[in-house]
Amino acid sequence: MSDLLSRRVFLTSTAVGVAATRARDIAFPMRPARPLPPASRWASKPVAVASANGLRAVQKAFDMLMQGADTLDAAIEGVKIQELDPNDDSVGYGGLPNADGVVQLDASCMHGPTKRAGAVGALEGIKTPSEVAKLVLKYTNHIFLVGEGAKRFALQYGFKEEDLLTAHAREVWLHWRANLNPDDDYLDVPEAERMSTRPTGTINCDVVTPQGDISSVTTTSGLAFKIPGRVGDSPIIGAGQYTDNAIGAAGSTGRGESNIKVCGGFLTVEFMRRGMKPTDACLETLKRVVQLTEPRLLGPDGRPPFSLNFYAVNKRGEFGAASLYPGRFAAHDGAEAKLRDTAFLYERPAASR
Ligand code: ASP
């Protein structure tokens, strides 16, 4: 079936956003699933790595790799589980809204074999921004669509516009607003219920196929209660994620503004190009983040009190992750999907957290 024909068949026959169960069911595949060569001829150790909320994502992505799916198709189907989950309030549907109470989503991806990239920023009303980023990558001459244009683009491909603000996310937002300013006309919620930290969250997933093809995707609802229009690192190619099919892939979760300044996805891949293992490359990128942190953001102990994490895979299927403070990440290493400890720069300093 030609690519164009498969798109037409899809548009007339399938609902977008339904989680695919088999590689051959994916909407808008990068390529159809094809049989794997015998394991003795595999070029790489297949692996799927993700942020700690991505245990289901790495299981799904790995299962799809074993069905012969394309590397990016596997990664996107993995993170879509989180995007569609109303109980994850940091990604996709159910994500916490911006300061106006509107959910604005960001995502980006890169596909190693075709050297393509795609991204969407401040996308409203569409549950799975990672899929829209993949469509920008696959069907346009552009890389980054934002706001209204990104939404119109998604609608043209058959995505449904939906209200992404769940009752839970609305409640958290109302709570935040009522506590924002003691002089406003909202009655404050009890002090004990005050939200002292701003919740964040994102999912990054990086995948290596048995053929040695690599991809990465990062998707998020961004910083909760952000200034409307703000985009973080997740949709920025080279920050939220980056892939070079000859070297590896890397991605990030955590304080996006701090990652954007070091181009952390790109930098981590560059460290691997110079010979570092994935974990060491992630740690080296975090050291650069610390070097570039503004004094206003440093805690009393001189350390950045925010959270930032990097995840990486290389061409051989080695993987790792590092964070400023001890954390966890998800990986399927061929044997099982499980959470592991990240490497870290600092023990968590009680004084500044
Ligand atoms: N990196 C995301 C952003 O800055 C947020 C997060 O991962 O917590 O938009």
Side-chain angles (χ1 to χ4, degrees), residues 14 19 60 157 188 196 214 247 262 300 327 352:
T14 323
K60 176 78 182 180
Y157 281 85
D188 290 355
S196 55
I214 308 169
I247 305 297
V262 304
S352 59

Side-chain angles (χ1 to χ4, degrees), residues 80-100:
K80 266 172 59 185
I81 297 172
Q82 227 54 27
E83 289 181 326
L84 293 168
D85 182 351
N87 297 317
D88 184 330
D89 64 11
S90 70
V91 179
Y93 176 55
L96 293 176
N98 65 19
D100 288 346

Side-chain angles (χ1 to χ4, degrees), residues 71-140:
T71 170
L72 184 59
D73 290 335
I76 301 260
E77 293 306 306
V79 300
K80 266 172 59 185
I81 297 172
Q82 227 54 27
E83 289 181 326
L84 293 168
D85 182 351
N87 297 317
D88 184 330
D89 64 11
S90 70
V91 179
Y93 176 55
L96 293 176
N98 65 19
D100 288 346
V102 176
V103 180
Q104 287 188 326
L105 304 176
D106 303 329
S108 66
C109 57
M110 281 185 82
H111 184 240
T114 58
K115 306 181 180 182
R116 293 199 202 179
V120 290
L123 175 65
E124 295 178 14
I126 308 291
K127 282 180 170 173
T128 53
S130 68
E131 268 188 311
V132 186
K134 187 175 96 172
L135 294 196
V136 174
L137 174 155
K138 185 165 157 62
Y139 294 121
T140 80

Side-chain angles (χ1 to χ4, degrees), residues 106 144 220 222-223 226 229-236 239-240 256-257 260:
D106 303 329
F144 200 172
T220 189
L223 193 62
K226 59 197 172 186
R230 176 264 189 193
V231 291
D233 59 327
S234 307
I236 310 287
E257 282 74 4
I260 290 173

Side-chain angles (χ1 to χ4, degrees), residues 131-311:
E131 268 188 311
V132 186
K134 187 175 96 172
L135 294 196
V136 174
L137 174 155
K138 185 165 157 62
Y139 294 121
T140 80
N141 194 25
H142 305 315
I143 286 184
F144 200 172
L145 299 183
V146 300
E148 192 54 33
K151 179 165 53 177
R152 291 221 309 267
F153 173 79
L155 296 177
Q156 286 160 6
Y157 281 85
F159 285 73
K160 259 201 353 241
E161 185 167 359
E162 291 170 88
D163 183 2
L164 304 186
L165 190 65
T166 57
H168 164 75
R170 183 190 304 278
E171 198 182 313
V172 176
W173 169 67
L174 289 171
H175 189 102
W176 168 80
R177 195 178 63 171
N179 277 293
L180 205 50
N181 176 358
D183 296 327
D184 66 23
D185 291 325
Y186 296 108
L187 297 179
D188 290 355
V189 296
E191 192 67 20
E193 290 174 27
R194 193 180 179 92
M195 288 168 52
S196 55
T197 53
R198 223 185 242 212
T200 56
T202 295
I203 183 166
N204 162 247
C205 185
D206 310 291
V207 166
V208 185
T209 68
Q211 296 89 341
D213 284 328
I214 308 169
S215 68
S216 50
V217 59
T218 300
T219 175
T220 189
S221 53
L223 193 62
F225 325 129
K226 59 197 172 186
I227 297 173
R230 176 264 189 193
V231 291
D233 59 327
S234 307
I236 310 287
I237 307 293
Q241 54 72 45
Y242 192 76
T243 292
D244 180 331
N245 213 43
I247 305 297
S252 181
T253 61
R255 189 174 187 275
E257 282 74 4
S258 295
N259 180 24
I260 290 173
K261 287 193 302 179
V262 304
C263 305
F266 177 76
L267 186 62
T268 306
V269 171
E270 289 308 294
F271 284 138
M272 291 194 287
R273 190 190 307 279
R274 291 182 217 164
M276 285 188 192
K277 295 282 189 199
T279 307
D280 295 333
C282 293
L283 282 168
E284 208 55 33
T285 299
L286 284 165
K287 288 183 195 159
R288 185 71 62 84
V289 169
V290 175
Q291 279 169 20
L292 281 180
T293 299
E294 300 119 86
R296 73 180 174 88
L297 288 171
L298 294 173
D301 54 4
R303 296 170 179 183
F306 51 81
S307 136
L308 192 58
N309 320 285
F310 289 95
Y311 317 89

Side-chain angles (χ1 to χ4, degrees), residues 330-343:
H332 198 311
D333 62 355
E336 59 176 334
K338 66 172 186 188
L339 290 177
R340 296 151 197 266
D341 294 330
T342 61

